Amino acid sequence: MSSAVRRDSKWWGWGESSHEAAIDPGSLSLLRAELGDLQPWGRPGSIDEVKLSPPEPLPGTIAEAVGVANVLSGHEDRVRHAAGRGYIDLARLRSGRLASAPDAVVLPAGAAQLAEVLAICAREGVAVVPYGGGTSVVGGVEPLRGDHGRLVSLDLARMRSVTLDDTSLTATLGAGLRGPEAEAALRRQGVTVGHFPQSFEYATIGGFAATRSAGQASSGYGRFDELVTSLRMIAPAGELKTLETPHTAAGPSLRELAIGSEGVLGVIPEVTVRVRPTPERERYEAWMAESWEAGCEVVRSLAQDWTLPDVIRLSDEQETRFSLALSGPSGFAGALFKRYLALRGREGGCLVVIGVEGEREVVARRRSLAARQLRAGGAAYLGQSAGRAWKRGRYEGPYLRDALMDAGAMAETLETSHTWSRLGELYGGVQGAIRGALEAQGTPGIVLCHLSHAYPDGASLYYTFVARRLPGEELEQWQSVKAAACEAIVAAGGTITHHHAVGRDHVPYMKAEVGELGLGLLRAVKQRLDPAGILNPGKLIG
C-alpha cells in the first residue's frame, strides 16, 4: 500500500471525516419552507458495501515499471478512484451503485515511470484516467473505458517536487502536490502562488493546469493558466516540453494546448509557475450594493479602470439573503447588523466582498481606490469583520453541500461567463432555465448566483441551485436541470465553463464552444499524441 493515497477523507463526500458542516434548526426550517418536505438522505454504510465488478487482470509489466507496491487493486482503492465530487458522483457513492471503477490504481514516481506506464497501456490497450485530487465536479475522473476492456487510474500523488528559482521568481512544482502542500513549501521560502480555488484543500497542481483552474484571488494573481510559464506533458507518442521563458513568438503556444487538456492529450507531471513574495498584509471587507445591476456596474468600473482588488465577489439578492440567513442569529447577520442595513437603505441589497493583499502601502492604496468606486456606485460599507468571515469560510461550500444532501436536498453548482454587454441576458436566461426545469419536476428550488471573476470585457457567473431531492430519481432530476442550464448558456452565447472544465458533463456542448473545425483540430492532435485512444476516454472531445 502506498502512503501517497489518502485514506483519511470521506469516500462518500467532501474532505476529511473530522470536518463536518452543520445546518442549524432555524436554517433547516427556512430550507423546508422554501423547498417543501425534505426526506433525509442517510449516510452510506461501509465502503465495503459498494458493489463493484471484479477487476480485470493488468499486464505484469505495469507493476515492473512502478513497483508492485504502487499498483493497488483493493476494493477501497478502486472505490476512491471511481468518482469525482460533483453532485451526481456523490449521489452514486451514497447509493452504493457505481457504474464503473478502475481495475487498479497505478502510482508512478516520476516522468520516466509515467512514460513507461503510458507506453505499456498504449501497447496493451488499457485505458488511463489521470487522477490528481479527485475533485472534479464535471465527471473529469469518471472511469470511462471507451473501446478498451481494461482501465487504470493513474494517480500522480508521488510527484511532489518543489524547486524555487528565487531570482526569476518561478517555481517548478510536481503535479501531485495538493494546493496546501505547495503553498506551505513555498511560503517557507517566502513566496506564494496565490491560487485559491474552492477546491484548494484537496485539488492538485496538475489538476489546476489540466483544467485551466481559476482561483478566488485570480483578479489579482491571475488564473492558473496565466501563472504557468512552462510545463512537461507526456503522451503515448512522446514528451512535449516547453521552454522556461517569459514569452515567445515562435508560433501558436503549445503550452496553451497542454493547459486545459484534461488528461486527454497527455499527462502533466510538472509545471513551472510564477510566484510572488508572501504578502505583508491583507485586508478583506464587505459592502452592500443597492442591487445586482448596481453591483455589476461597480465591478465593471473597477475592472475597466484596472483597479480590481485581488478578490472581488458580488452575490445577487437571493444569495445574499440566504448567506445572511444561514450564517446564524448573531454577529454578521444579527439584529444590529440588520438595523444598520435598514438605516443605510440597503435591506434586500447585494453583498460585495473584496480582498487586497501585498505590501502595507500597496494594500492601503488599492483598497482606497476600490472603496472610492464602491461608494460612487452607491454601495454601503459593512466593515472588515464581514469580509474576514467570508475568508474564514471560503472553502466551506462543499462541506455544506454534504449537509444539504444529508437533509434530503439536491445541491449543485455550475458556472459560465460572458461580456459585460450580454451578462444580464446570460444571468436571467440561466436563472430562468434552472427554475423552469426544477418546477417542471415538481421540485421548485432556490437559485443563487454570484459574480466571481471579473475582467475589463466581462465576468463569470457562478450558480448554486438547491431543491428537494427525488429519491431514486436523482440522476434524472439532475440531468434535466443541468441540460436546461447548459442549453440556456449556449443560447446566450456564453462559455459552457469558465473554470470547472469540460470533463464528461460538458462534452455535448463543445461544438457550440469551438465549432466543428475546432473539434476536428483537437481530435487530430489527440490522434497524433494518443493514437490508441487510451487517455481519459469520453472527456473534453468525446
Side-chain angles (χ1 to χ4, degrees):
M1 178 190 300
S2 171
S3 61
V5 176
R6 294 179 59 83
R7 301 179 186 278
D8 54 353
S9 59
K10 303 177 192 133
W11 61 269
W12 49 266
W14 183 268
E16 296 182 8
S17 301
S18 59
H19 191 154
E20 298 278 353
I23 304 176
D24 66 79
S27 298
L28 192 56
S29 296
L30 172 65
L31 283 171
R32 287 177 173 147
E34 295 274 345
L35 305 180
D37 188 37
L38 297 175
Q39 182 176 327
W41 197 347
R43 295 280 176 89
S46 166
I47 192 172
D48 296 327
E49 297 174 12
V50 178
K51 293 179 173 56
L52 300 179
S53 299
E56 296 291 333
L58 296 174
T61 46
I62 293 179
E64 293 173 9
V66 300
V68 174
N70 295 304
V71 178
L72 313 177
S73 57
H75 182 85
E76 180 174 350
D77 297 303
R78 296 178 67 211
V79 171
R80 286 185 175 274
H81 288 75
R85 287 300 178 264
Y87 170 77
I88 202 61
D89 294 310
L90 301 184
R92 286 169 173 157
L93 287 167
R94 281 175 180 251
S95 72
R97 298 190 305 271
L98 290 172
S100 180
D103 296 309
V105 180
V106 178
L107 294 105
Q113 287 188 7
L114 170 58
E116 190 172 356
V117 169
L118 292 184
I120 295 166
C121 290
R123 187 169 61 248
E124 300 287 344
V126 179
V128 176
V129 177
Y131 189 96
T135 61
S136 173
V137 293
V138 292
V141 296
E142 184 172 347
L144 302 178
R145 296 171 184 251
D147 296 330
H148 309 287
R150 296 172 290 181
L151 181 145
V152 297
S153 176
L154 191 70
D155 194 318
L156 306 181
R158 296 174 70 199
M159 300 183 186
R160 311 166 72 78
S161 59
V162 178
T163 304
L164 175 66
D165 179 345
D166 55 6
T167 301
S168 304
L169 277 184
T170 61
T172 301
L173 304 173
L177 287 163
R178 289 185 298 118
E181 294 171 332
E183 272 295 308
L186 291 171
R187 288 192 178 230
R188 285 194 292 270
Q189 301 180 72
V191 295
T192 178
V193 178
H195 188 70
F196 305 107
Q198 192 173 64
S199 60
F200 172 74
E201 296 171 300
Y202 299 98
T204 61
I205 294 295
F208 294 156
T211 60
R212 302 187 75 89
S213 173
Q216 294 167 339
S218 289
S219 294
Y221 288 90
R223 299 182 314 271
F224 201 74
D225 56 288
E226 297 174 298
L227 299 176
V228 175
T229 65
S230 67
L231 53 71
R232 299 173 71 182
M233 184 174 76
I234 298 175
E239 178 176 342
L240 174 69
K241 190 175 190 304
T242 65
L243 293 176
E244 290 188 26
T245 179
H247 178 70
T248 174
S253 173
L254 296 179
R255 179 188 66 206
E256 286 294 299
L257 182 66
I259 296 173
S261 58
E262 301 188 32
V264 167
L265 303 181
V267 182
I268 299 170
E270 66 179 27
V271 297
T272 300
V273 297
R274 296 181 177 92
V275 296
R276 298 188 192 183
T278 305
E280 178 185 19
R281 189 178 181 219
E282 61 179 35
R283 179 180 174 120
Y284 283 78
E285 60 191 45
W287 295 69
M288 190 69 78
E290 183 178 4
S291 65
W292 171 254
E293 292 77 13
C296 284
E297 279 301 296
V298 171
V299 178
R300 182 173 73 88
S301 68
L302 287 166
Q304 294 181 345
D305 287 346
W306 300 94
T307 53
L308 275 174
D310 296 308
V311 171
I312 183 77
R313 182 186 178 104
L314 166 68
S315 295
D316 70 0
E317 288 88 351
Q318 272 281 72
E319 183 169 280
T320 299
R321 180 168 73 90
F322 273 87
S323 294
L324 297 181
L326 294 174
S327 65
S330 61
F332 181 26
L336 285 174
F337 178 77
K338 292 176 181 176
R339 283 201 293 271
Y340 174 79
L341 289 180
L343 287 171
R344 299 299 300 270
R346 289 295 175 269
E347 292 176 299
C350 291
L351 183 66
V352 183
V353 174
I354 69 170
V356 185
E357 301 181 355
E359 295 181 355
R360 185 174 299 274
E361 295 82 2
V362 173
V363 168
R365 183 175 72 253
R366 293 179 63 208
R367 185 268 166 184
S368 177
L369 290 170
R372 184 187 307 166
Q373 295 275 30
L374 285 157
R375 288 195 182 96
Y381 180 59
L382 302 183
Q384 293 185 65
S385 60
R388 288 194 292 262
W390 174 85
K391 185 173 184 290
R392 284 194 301 272
R394 61 176 8 181
Y395 307 129
E396 288 298 304
Y399 297 98
L400 180 59
R401 181 184 55 182
D402 283 349
L404 288 168
M405 292 179 73
D406 288 347
M410 171 178 70
E412 181 64 302
T413 62
L414 57 90
E415 40 72 51
T416 178
S417 68
H418 216 330
T419 57
W420 288 113
S421 59
R422 298 191 64 185
L423 199 67
E425 174 192 351
L426 180 68
Y427 170 73
V430 176
Q431 192 176 64
I434 295 172
R435 284 204 178 101
L438 289 171
E439 289 170 1
Q441 298 176 87
T443 58
I446 303 163
V447 184
L448 318 175
C449 183
H450 64 259
L451 186 160
S452 57
H453 302 82
Y455 309 89
D457 54 341
S460 73
L461 299 177
Y462 192 101
Y463 292 87
T464 300
F465 56 92
V466 184
R468 177 171 55 85
R469 173 180 68 100
L470 292 176
E473 301 177 46
E474 291 87 4
L475 177 59
E476 294 78 9
Q477 181 186 27
W478 170 84
Q479 282 179 328
S480 174
V481 183
K482 179 75 173 181
C486 289
E487 288 163 12
I489 288 170
V490 169
T495 177
I496 198 63
T497 174
H498 174 266
H499 57 268
H500 280 172
V502 174
R504 170 213 61 209
D505 297 351
H506 296 144
V507 165
Y509 309 97
M510 274 294 282
K511 183 177 177 181
E513 182 89 14
V514 303
E516 189 64 51
L517 181 59
L519 274 177
L521 286 170
L522 289 173
R523 287 171 179 152
V525 173
K526 181 170 177 64
Q527 175 62 29
R528 175 65 182 89
L529 295 174
D530 177 24
I534 63 167
L535 287 173
N536 220 1
K539 319 298 169 45
L540 186 62
I541 54 177

